[in-house]
Amino acid sequence: MELLNALVAFTNFVGVPAIAYGSQLAIGALGVTLVYSVLRFSNFAHGDTMAFGTMVTILVTWLFQGAGISFGPLPTALLALPFGIAVTMGLVLFTDRTVYRFYREQKAKPVVFVMVSLGVMFMMNGLVRFIIGPGDQRFADGERFIISARDFKKMTGLDEGLAIKTSQGITVVTAIIVVALLFWFLNKTRTGKSMRAYSDNEDLALLSGINPERVVMYTWLIVATLATIAGVLYGLDKSFKPFTYFQLLLPIFASAIVGGLGSPIGAIAGGFIIAFSEVTITYAWKKVATYVLPETMAPDGLVQLLSTDYKFAVSFAILIIVLLFKPTGIFKGKSV
Amino acid sequence: MSGNPYQEDRGNKDATITNTHGAGTMQPAHRKSGPTKKVEGDSPFLIGDCMTGGYGKGPDILHDCTIAVNPGEIAVIVGPNGAGKSTAMKAVFGMLNVRSGSVRLDGEDITQLTPQDRVVKGMGFVPQTSNIFTSMTVEENLEMGAFIRTDDFSNTMEQVYHLFPILKEKRNQPAGELSGGQRQQVAVGRALMTQPKVLMLDEPTAGVSPIVMDELFDRIIEVARTGLPILMVEQNAKQALEIADKGYVLVQGRNAYTGTGQELLADPEVRKSFLGG
Ligand SMILES: Nc1ncnc2c1ncn2[C@@H]1O[C@H](COP(=O)(O)OP(=O)(O)O)[C@@H](O)[C@H]1O
Ligand SMILES: [Mg+2]
């Protein structure tokens, strides 16, 4: 019974949140890895692209809520999501036309693109704050829980409750769908294969009649979709704040690099590794420990390795360890 | 390097933010295709005529260089390392700036076309290096070769597999895991997938054993017998000239000797300087 309680507490406070957070990071990291593979630079504007997509989705959600449109027990934001994606696609294509394309024509070195993306990041950052403000926005509505802690306790008779939020359920289901679709697209469709070909060997892709501008356009469309979905899922699960999204860049990049930059599977694995590390290291283990350990050994403190304020240190530390000992990441990416 | 400040990376080699894997190196003469002109009069099927030009804003590598090929023929370009053989091939394919001279295909002046549009016109090219998609399977390589085709290309794929049976066996293996000879077969197979009207091969036997080389030459002759004109650069000058209908010896970007394969093989000057006596 004690062990069961410990397990439930662990699942409730570590397992479920980490899986949801890991899925969000994975979708974010997939976007970063795609830009890295196809456009050949690390897109520092990715966090702010997520913020922009989420902002548009929130605005449309408010519009729907005002008009009395709802999605039953599911959050209205899911209805607004396609609009958010569409507008974000427009923004990234606009950015590509007005900014990145120039540098492509100059055959600029990747590091120049990285710096350019920093500029784009500041622009998008400013745009989002200008439109929706720097503050915190909550936009989750509908049913809050799939299973609430109280119901769980009643059902099982355990002391510990297991709560699964709707947003967490949606996150995992969406992540599975998105990842399956993306892999199908990249491996089975003509356009997806042409993206891989372009990433593998640009010159030969050109000699095969693959149009680079097309490949770049499809990449941005997919990246906009992934960024918006990741951003909205994160926002539903926690809340939306432009600065938080900017900060998400670190765990997202850590995920992509830990998994192996340029490897989609790596991005997913990396997302979960970072999420689990972050949550386990910043979780106060007192409760679980009390159940598992004999009474005499019960801990006095919180048994928390690191305060949640320092959660970014976790991504950072893992990032450095990986770069020191296995720079290509777990799934042999392209970084050396 | 080229005087373009955007191409200066200030020594940055950080692969966590920049990815140079598979980055393009071509400097196509035209970003957008210009018009093509019908050309009157007698002219070889494919000809790079009096081409002069070099890379970017750099010095001229080619000087009044002419190479041509006709249907049913194998034309071979030989010459010392750095003579500009690869450069001449790239020039014919529009992958570098030709300051003067023209390229004509099938009675049409295509000098103003981008490389992509030359593929559409029926030119197939196997570059000297990086000529396969290493991370993709053999079959995907062939599919990418057929990228511009909207019709059913399964027949062509069967033909390629018939020509190179080993590729059928390895169709689901990443091309990067194959041996040197097999990679070259993938490279040639990829170029054949468009059903080109002319095939250009840059050192198709580079880095393979003599036995595999003979085998590859046999395959190339087999392809040429179908009537497909082949323009080929070769390191193994003697062997290549033996199968050549037409031979070009290039030295420092200029046509040094031109003739049929047999003529060149018999020419004492050519023998002495390029064929080792
Ligand atoms: N991408 C390039 N940019 C600038 N110069 C080049 C490039 N490729 C080749 N060259 C120069 O062009 C000359 C001819 O090279 P190449 O055509 O590759 O010779 P070959 O194929 O006959 O061995 C050499 O001097 C080489 O340094
Ligand atoms: Mg060469």
Side-chain angles (χ1 to χ4, degrees), chain B residues 86 128 202-203:
Chain B
S86 298
Q128 182 175 354
D202 195 346
E203 301 202 15

